[in-house]
Amino acid sequence: MLGTIRRFWRDQRGIALLLVTIMLPAIIGFSLLAIDMSRVNNMHNDLQKAGDAMALASAAELDGRTDSIVRADRALATLVSNQYTFSTANVPQTLLAAGVTRTYLRSLPASDNSAIAAANIITDEVTDAPNARFVRVTVTPVGFAAIFPASFLTGNTANNSFNVGAVSVAGFTSGVCNYTPVFICNPYEMINGTNSAGGATLEQAVADTSIRRRLIELRTVGNNAAYGPGNFGFLAPPDGVGNGAQALAQTIATSRPIGCYSSQGVSTKTGQNTGPIQDAFNVRFGINPSGNAFNSAEYGPASNVRKGASTGGNGNGNSNQCPSYNQLTFNATGNMGLPRDGTTPYMGGRMGDGNWNLSTYWSTNFGGTSYPSSWNTTTPTRYQVYKYEIANNLVGTASAGGEVGTPPSSCQPPVTTVDRRLLYGAILNCNALEAAGNDLNGNSTNLPVEAFASFFLTEPVPGANAGGSVFVELVDITGRSGQGTLDSFLRDEAQLYR
């Protein structure tokens, strides 16, 4: 009997069952906790992705325009709807704009570890809308339906749940690449609700042919002079191209610019010698620069360089030489470049009324060749006429005085990959910038850009002693008000920051 008891006492068969039975509640509990951790992680990911998507959609509208916040709110409300699961509703839910709170920011703290402060937040969303650069989207916490008793983790004995939320911060960056380092003071800048361009805005000028064809005289300014509408200057050239006037001129003259500039801030480069700059503009017209500094194919002329000039006894300046500016005779009998406007009522006499002598220009250069009948009703821009000449093989047609638009044979071959008669530049609201304390006559940094633009060069730039004026027509601007011709230059990106 005692032996039987001893054998039973020492028998360990089935002990694992006892241990499992004892540990089973803990095993099940940890399994449920692991499942819950996976489920809550999935729910948080769903909410975070939804918040990120809403922030990105909203941030993509923060382009510095006065209606940017209105458009950003519309995008947040209508463009995105993401589902999330595992909430206390027990069925998939859709996160909409009503389930988030958005805050627009003018800036972010220098460190991601620093909390967003009151100084970063836009409070006046109407007046301060152009300064909105970032948006913070906070997802209203959503209840998570746990399987594991949540009271062990949260102390919430009322129900078996706890809340899960998410926060996302996105911003918008806009810029251009392959742009020339030039800035133009906005000819249509509004000052106290009016301007010297008859009240027309930059957006209206691009949309309306009658305004867009106004000839604008761009001028540099002297040392210590204030910049205003219609002045132009130079941006800091890209790294690696040098700091001298000649290096800057080469970045303007080239048909393959490498500069990238952000609309959030550009830096000016002042105090440059105007001589090389004049050459940089004029190589586009087949005019030989002094010192032959632009002697490679990338500095070639446009395919149409008609400018109303003759050279000595040659008559047309296109057969024997690539002339220098001082070898050209302008407005000689029988030769006519694109004429200026009849009157200049705007911007202190530096912006025309848009009415230019198309009929005389056409008859002088193309005789009885017809042009579109619609031009008799609505005068085209000079740029439209220039493009029409190229498209209809009129460039080689000799004027009454013998000038043709084909570049001189001794110049570099014409550049056909890009339009060399277009000048690209950043448009700055110079009056507002200087009123805010920026010195555009110095090397200023982080100057906000109103838009990037293209301008058509209508005639060569005279020597520095003649004022160095650049005569242009506005062609297009970047952004939603533009015509889309600059889209290939644009680099618009909405990105997450937090």
Side-chain angles (χ1 to χ4, degrees):
M1 183 69 179
L2 290 174
T4 302
I5 293 173
R6 289 191 188 98
R7 285 194 300 272
F8 177 79
W9 181 256
R10 294 170 182 171
D11 191 350
Q12 296 183 5
R13 289 176 295 178
I15 194 170
L17 180 60
L18 295 174
L19 296 176
V20 169
T21 302
I22 295 171
M23 294 298 298
L24 188 58
I27 294 172
I28 294 174
F30 279 114
S31 299
L32 294 178
L33 183 60
I35 294 171
D36 274 349
M37 291 297 292
S38 176
R39 292 170 70 243
V40 75
N41 185 63
N42 287 338
M43 180 178 172
H44 178 265
N45 284 343
D46 288 345
L47 294 175
Q48 187 65 57
K49 289 177 181 178
D52 290 349
M54 288 182 167
L56 287 170
S58 183
E61 302 296 329
L62 302 180
D63 56 2
R65 304 286 182 182
T66 55
D67 64 341
S68 61
I69 287 182
V70 173
R71 288 185 281 106
D73 281 344
R74 186 184 306 130
L76 188 147
T78 61
L79 295 184
V80 181
S81 63
N82 291 65
Q83 285 193 331
Y84 60 91
T85 54
F86 307 125
S87 72
T88 52
N90 294 320
V91 292
Q93 298 291 301
T94 300
L95 182 66
L96 300 175
V100 303
T101 302
R102 94 291 185 273
T103 305
Y104 292 100
L105 312 171
R106 69 178 72 250
S107 60
L108 291 177
S111 172
D112 287 345
N113 296 323
S114 300
I116 292 174
N120 304 120
I121 297 174
I122 297 286
T123 54
D124 186 341
E125 295 185 355
V126 176
T127 303
D128 225 9
N131 296 318
R133 291 290 178 265
F134 308 91
V135 59
R136 177 180 61 188
V137 172
T138 303
V139 177
T140 303
V142 175
F144 169 71
I147 301 173
F148 185 83
S151 58
F152 283 104
L153 301 176
T154 65
N156 180 10
T157 58
N159 56 66
N160 200 37
S161 68
F162 55 91
N163 293 333
V164 178
V167 178
S168 180
V169 177
F172 179 75
T173 59
S174 176
V176 293
C177 284
N178 308 118
Y179 239 62
T180 45
V182 174
F183 76 85
I184 293 104
C185 292
N186 187 1
Y188 301 95
E189 180 181 3
M190 303 299 292
I191 306 168
N192 296 325
T194 186
N195 62 20
S196 56
T201 66
L202 182 61
E203 292 78 10
Q204 290 172 332
V206 170
D208 189 336
T209 301
S210 65
I211 302 177
R212 198 166 69 245
R213 67 175 182 245
R214 294 177 182 175
L215 194 65
I216 303 171
E217 181 186 357
L218 304 178
R219 295 178 184 170
T220 57
V221 301
N223 291 335
N224 300 320
Y227 279 81
N231 292 129
F232 78 96
F234 308 104
L235 300 177
D239 293 338
V241 299
N243 293 317
Q246 189 61 51
L248 176 62
Q250 288 175 326
T251 64
I252 295 172
T254 182
S255 60
R256 296 179 293 182
I258 60 174
C260 289
Y261 300 96
S262 169
S263 61
Q264 273 69 53
V266 295
S267 300
T268 60
K269 184 72 173 179
T270 58
Q272 298 299 332
N273 187 319
T274 58
I277 305 303
Q278 175 204 5
D279 296 338
F281 290 124
N282 286 345
V283 292
R284 302 160 185 260
F285 288 91
I287 296 175
N288 187 38
S290 60
N292 200 27
F294 307 102
N295 55 357
S296 60
E298 67 181 285
Y299 303 115
S303 57
N304 184 359
V305 298
R306 192 182 299 274
K307 48 190 172 288
S310 61
T311 309
N314 188 345
N316 59 31
N318 288 287
S319 299
N320 299 326
Q321 62 177 328
C322 187
S324 297
Y325 187 88
N326 58 11
Q327 295 174 313
L328 293 170
T329 300
F330 288 88
N331 299 318
T333 302
N335 295 327
M336 187 177 189
L338 290 164
R340 299 178 184 179
D341 290 345
T343 60
T344 55
Y346 304 110
M347 215 171 68
R350 290 169 51 203
M351 179 186 289
D353 59 2
N355 297 315
W356 60 282
N357 195 339
L358 168 65
S359 60
T360 302
Y361 169 80
W362 194 266
S363 61
T364 299
N365 291 297
F366 307 111
T369 304
S370 62
Y371 57 71
S373 59
S374 61
W375 289 2
N376 292 319
T377 304
T378 303
T379 303
T381 67
R382 296 167 185 80
Y383 184 58
Q384 287 175 307
V385 174
Y386 160 83
K387 296 288 284 184
Y388 183 86
E389 293 175 21
I390 296 173
N392 291 275
N393 300 315
L394 297 174
V395 176
T397 302
S399 68
E403 182 192 25
V404 298
T406 308
S409 57
S410 61
C411 291
Q412 295 292 337
V415 176
T416 57
T417 54
V418 296
D419 195 335
R420 293 285 280 151
R421 293 277 293 274
L422 289 182
L423 173 66
Y424 301 96
I427 295 182
L428 306 183
N429 287 329
C430 295
N431 275 327
L433 289 172
E434 292 204 328
N438 296 286
D439 179 14
L440 299 185
N441 234 316
N443 294 328
S444 300
T445 59
N446 295 322
L447 302 176
V449 176
E450 178 69 12
F452 292 97
S454 57
F455 294 87
F456 174 58
L457 294 166
T458 63
E459 60 185 70
V461 180
N465 292 334
S469 294
V470 181
F471 287 88
V472 298
E473 277 184 345
L474 176 65
V475 176
D476 201 2
I477 62 173
T478 55
R480 291 166 179 78
S481 301
Q483 303 176 66
T485 63
L486 300 177
D487 286 353
S488 61
F489 295 92
L490 279 173
R491 301 292 187 271
D492 286 348
E493 297 180 357
Q495 66 183 64
L496 294 171
Y497 288 85
R498 295 190 175 193

